[in-house]
Amino acid sequence: MSLAKPLILITNDDGINAPGIRKLIEIMRPLGRLVVVAPDKSQSGMGHAITVTSPLRVSKLTEDIDYLEYSCNGTPVDCVKLGMRVIMRQKPDLLVSGINHGSNASVNVLYSGTMAAVLEGAIESVPSIGFSLNDYSPKANFEGFEEYIKEIASEALRNGLPSGTCLNVNIPALNGTPVKGIKVVRQGAGFWEEAYEERIDPFNRHYYWITGVFKNNDNGRDTDLWALKNNYIAVVPTQIDLTSFETIHLLQNWKLNRKGKK
């Protein structure tokens, strides 16, 4: 690999053969040396899970000029850890994850394997970006927004990101309408209203299948949900520090024994 080019680690949660990661690889090729480490099957909804009770394995699939590709039997976070510590043995200049098949806006960021990989990069102080397309259709169109992804990735390479911070980028489903542009926004306050459908298997045993409806009670025009609805690409700066600093001051007024038991 040419040492003059930036080193870029690519992963996802939909699996190594998903159309989204194939498109992301295509977009990233002109920007640097690529190392792809992605799950060998879908790992959607895994969040920040890591594998601790079974062996992890990686398989080299492709080796070319400035390009290496591996599959892994672990989670997206496993892929990032193995990519940095075993395969590259160094931190990349940029980590990109996706393009996810479905939105990771609002509260979805907490469940997302795509964004867990990106947050793992932020823990390592690597500029990291997650890309998701707001289209769940099996025939989702991953064409038409390549220049926006390249622009965001190029700016992250040029400027870096603050330590502990990454980007959650959500792209509207095109449906024949061009993207209006990019909005830097906050995370919308949506939530899932979930239900568990009870079913019976062929052995007469009960099991449950999760269903749900996404609800958005946040009417702000500065959110990722608003941006997607209005055909903008939403960029949300996301951080690994989950501390509620406002609540620290609230808890100062609680009658807590801060000196320990007497």
Side-chain angles (χ1 to χ4, degrees), residues 59-98:
S59 300
K60 183 187 288 187
L61 303 178
T62 306
E63 182 172 1
D64 203 347
I65 298 173
D66 291 335
Y67 186 82
L68 289 170
E69 182 177 316
Y70 298 81
S71 66
C72 171
N73 66 333
T75 68
V77 173
D78 290 330
C79 291
V80 172
K81 289 179 178 291
L82 285 166
M84 291 189 194
R85 289 173 172 77
V86 176
I87 295 171
M88 296 187 300
R89 299 186 183 276
Q90 67 180 99
K91 293 181 181 181
D93 298 298
L94 178 70
L95 184 154
V96 291
S97 181

Side-chain angles (χ1 to χ4, degrees), residues 133 135 139-145 172-180 231:
L133 177 65
D135 192 337
K139 297 181 179 180
N141 180 13
F142 287 90
E143 304 287 339
F145 44 78
L174 296 182
N175 298 323
T177 305
V179 172
K180 291 180 181 177
N231 221 38

Side-chain angles (χ1 to χ4, degrees), residues 39-232:
D40 57 9
K41 59 183 177 298
S42 175
Q43 295 280 348
S44 295
M46 291 299 290
H48 215 98
I50 56 173
T51 302
V52 295
T53 59
S54 59
L56 283 169
R57 306 182 192 278
V58 292
S59 300
K60 183 187 288 187
L61 303 178
T62 306
E63 182 172 1
D64 203 347
I65 298 173
D66 291 335
Y67 186 82
L68 289 170
E69 182 177 316
Y70 298 81
S71 66
C72 171
N73 66 333
T75 68
V77 173
D78 290 330
C79 291
V80 172
K81 289 179 178 291
L82 285 166
M84 291 189 194
R85 289 173 172 77
V86 176
I87 295 171
M88 296 187 300
R89 299 186 183 276
Q90 67 180 99
K91 293 181 181 181
D93 298 298
L94 178 70
L95 184 154
V96 291
S97 181
I99 303 168
N100 190 63
H101 202 131
S103 169
N104 277 318
S106 185
V107 72
N108 294 301
V109 67
L110 298 175
Y111 306 109
S112 167
T114 300
M115 282 305 298
V118 173
L119 288 161
E120 184 65 25
I123 291 172
E124 296 286 346
S125 298
V126 173
S128 302
I129 313 169
F131 295 100
S132 303
L133 177 65
N134 187 29
D135 192 337
Y136 297 90
S137 167
K139 297 181 179 180
N141 180 13
F142 287 90
E143 304 287 339
F145 44 78
E146 293 89 342
E147 288 305 313
Y148 291 101
I149 289 179
K150 187 180 295 184
E151 179 182 335
I152 294 168
S154 297
E155 285 297 296
L157 276 169
R158 187 167 70 90
N159 297 298
L161 288 169
S163 181
T165 302
C166 57
L167 299 182
N168 183 14
V169 178
N170 282 277
I171 302 161
L174 296 182
N175 298 323
T177 305
V179 172
K180 291 180 181 177
I182 297 172
K183 293 278 188 183
V184 179
V185 290
R186 64 177 174 87
Q187 179 182 315
F191 65 97
W192 283 97
E193 191 172 272
E194 295 160 334
Y196 285 85
E197 186 178 298
E198 186 174 5
R199 302 178 182 179
I200 299 176
D201 70 15
F203 300 97
N204 205 36
R205 297 175 301 191
H206 292 259
Y207 69 98
Y208 298 88
W209 200 267
I210 190 171
T211 62
V213 178
F214 187 76
K215 299 290 186 69
N216 176 27
N217 296 329
D218 189 336
N219 295 318
R221 294 170 60 89
D222 59 342
T223 71
D224 48 9
L225 297 171
W226 183 94
L228 287 175
K229 184 179 179 180
N230 288 275
N231 221 38
Y232 289 96

